[in-house]
Amino acid sequence: ILSKPVKSMKLFIHYEEHMDESLHKTSKINLNKKWVAGPCSQVVKLFVTDYNKKFTDNLLDLANVHLTNSSGVALANESIIGDYVADDQGKAEVFIKTGSPPAAGDVKGPKVQKVSAKQSATAAAKTGNGAKAAAAAAPVGPKPLTCMRFGCQKKFHAVDNHATACSYHRLPPVFHETVKFWACCPDRKCYDWESFMEVPGCQTADHSTEKPQQGPLGGCDIRAGNDGSAPQKLKSIDQFNEERTHSQSGNAAGLAIANMYQLRQAMDKAGVSGDLFDRAKTALSDRLGHDHGAVATALAKHLSESLIALEQGGSSY
C-alpha cells in the first residue's frame, strides 16, 4: 500500500457487528499528526466511550474489541495508525470488530509504504500529463448550443435541430407575488417553481439561439393590463395622450386580474381551496366570454350573496 506522508487524516470508524442495524454507528474523527503517529488504542477508546454514551443497552467492552483496516487486517492496540491505515486524499476507514486485539508481533498484513512528497508530486505530474495527452488526442466535437425560447433552455447541436425539436411558450413568464405563469397560458397558474417549470410548451418549432426581446413580466405589467399577448409598439404623442386620457378604462382588465389574484390569495389563507377558486373563475370566464372585468364583477356578486345568506341565517350554518 502506497501513501504520501500524512500530516492529518479524516478517519471514518465503523461499527457494524450487531445484527440490529439500528445499533450500528459511524464516527468521523479528524486526526492530527500526533494521533496519526499514535497507537490504535487511542482511537478505539475514543470510539467506545462515545458509542457507550449513545447505546446504553449495547455497551461495548473496551478489552474485547479491536480495529481492522480497510484490507481486513486486525490491528494491535500498540499498532501505529499511520503504519497500517492508508490515507486516500486526506481520509481513511477502519472498523471496530469484536474480539481481543492481537499482540503487536502477531499483526499480519503489509504496512503502508510512505513515499516522499517529491515522489508523490512526480507521480501526479506523470498521471496528469498522460491524462492531458489522452484528452488532446480525443476528438473534440462542437459545443452544444442553448435554446433561448421561453420555457425551453435545452442544449442542442445544430446538426440535430429540426422543425419540431423545441416545445416552448410564445410569451414570457409572469411573476406576480407568489403566482407564476406563462403569459400565453394564463390558465396554468402555479405557486411553486417546480410546477411552473413543468408546464408544457404551447408552441412547437426548431430550437433558436436568438434571445427574446421581451423579458419576464411582473405585477406592474399585470396592473397595466400588459400581459404580453400583443407586441408592444412605440406610440406616437397623440396615441400616448389619448391613452392617458382613457387610462382608467384601459386599465380595467389589468386591475380586474390583479384584484382577483389578491382575492384568491386572501381566500387561500383563510382555508378556501385555491384550486376551487380557479375552477370557479374559469367556469365564469368561459360563460362570460373571457371578459376579466365581468368575471371579477360576477365573483364579487356571488360572494356577496353568499355572505348575505349567512348573515340572514339562510345557510346550514
Side-chain angles (χ1 to χ4, degrees), residues 12-18 25 40 43-45 47-48 51 60-61 64-69 94-99:
F12 290 83
I13 310 172
H14 308 284
Y15 172 71
E16 301 172 347
E17 289 280 278
H18 205 283
K25 177 177 172 59
C40 291
V43 173
V44 174
K45 183 178 180 180
F47 180 88
V48 169
Y51 183 93
L60 298 180
D61 181 2
N64 194 43
V65 293
H66 63 277
L67 280 185
T68 66
N69 63 16
V94 292
F95 298 84
I96 296 287
K97 297 291 185 179
T98 303

Side-chain angles (χ1 to χ4, degrees), residues 114-274:
K114 303 295 191 301
V115 296
S116 68
K118 183 177 180 180
Q119 289 173 315
S120 178
T122 301
K126 289 181 178 179
T127 302
N129 291 336
K132 289 179 181 178
V140 179
K143 291 183 178 180
L145 305 172
T146 301
C147 180
M148 301 304 293
R149 294 190 188 275
F150 292 126
C152 182
Q153 304 297 310
K154 291 182 178 179
K155 300 288 185 181
F156 70 98
H157 291 282
V159 294
D160 300 324
N161 201 9
H162 55 84
T164 59
C166 180
S167 177
Y168 69 101
H169 288 279
R170 181 173 58 88
L171 297 175
V174 178
F175 302 120
H176 178 59
E177 297 182 355
T178 60
V179 181
K180 305 168 184 65
F181 63 94
W182 297 97
C184 50
C185 301
D187 293 333
R188 300 294 300 273
K189 296 178 178 65
C190 302
Y191 295 86
D192 63 86
W193 185 258
E194 289 75 15
S195 299
F196 170 68
M197 294 304 295
E198 290 175 359
V199 175
C202 58
Q203 302 284 316
T204 301
D206 58 342
H207 290 302
S208 173
T209 57
E210 183 178 351
K211 189 174 181 179
Q213 295 182 356
Q214 190 173 18
L217 304 176
C220 293
D221 299 292
I222 293 175
R223 286 188 290 273
N226 172 25
D227 61 358
S229 59
Q232 302 300 304
K233 297 180 180 179
L234 187 63
K235 300 178 179 65
S236 67
I237 296 297
D238 292 338
Q239 288 175 319
F240 177 81
N241 290 334
E242 182 180 357
E243 290 183 6
R244 185 177 181 182
T245 302
H246 300 286
S247 60
Q248 185 173 0
S249 60
N251 287 342
L255 290 171
I257 293 173
N259 289 337
M260 286 189 286
Y261 283 155
Q262 293 172 2
L263 176 61
R264 185 195 190 282
Q265 288 181 312
M267 295 183 69
D268 190 54
K269 290 179 180 178
V272 178
S273 168

Side-chain angles (χ1 to χ4, degrees), residues 187 189 276-288 290 295:
D187 293 333
K189 296 178 178 65
L276 176 60
F277 182 91
D278 289 340
R279 291 197 301 271
K281 184 169 71 67
T282 299
L284 281 173
S285 181
D286 291 340
R287 291 199 293 268
L288 298 173
H290 303 284
V295 172

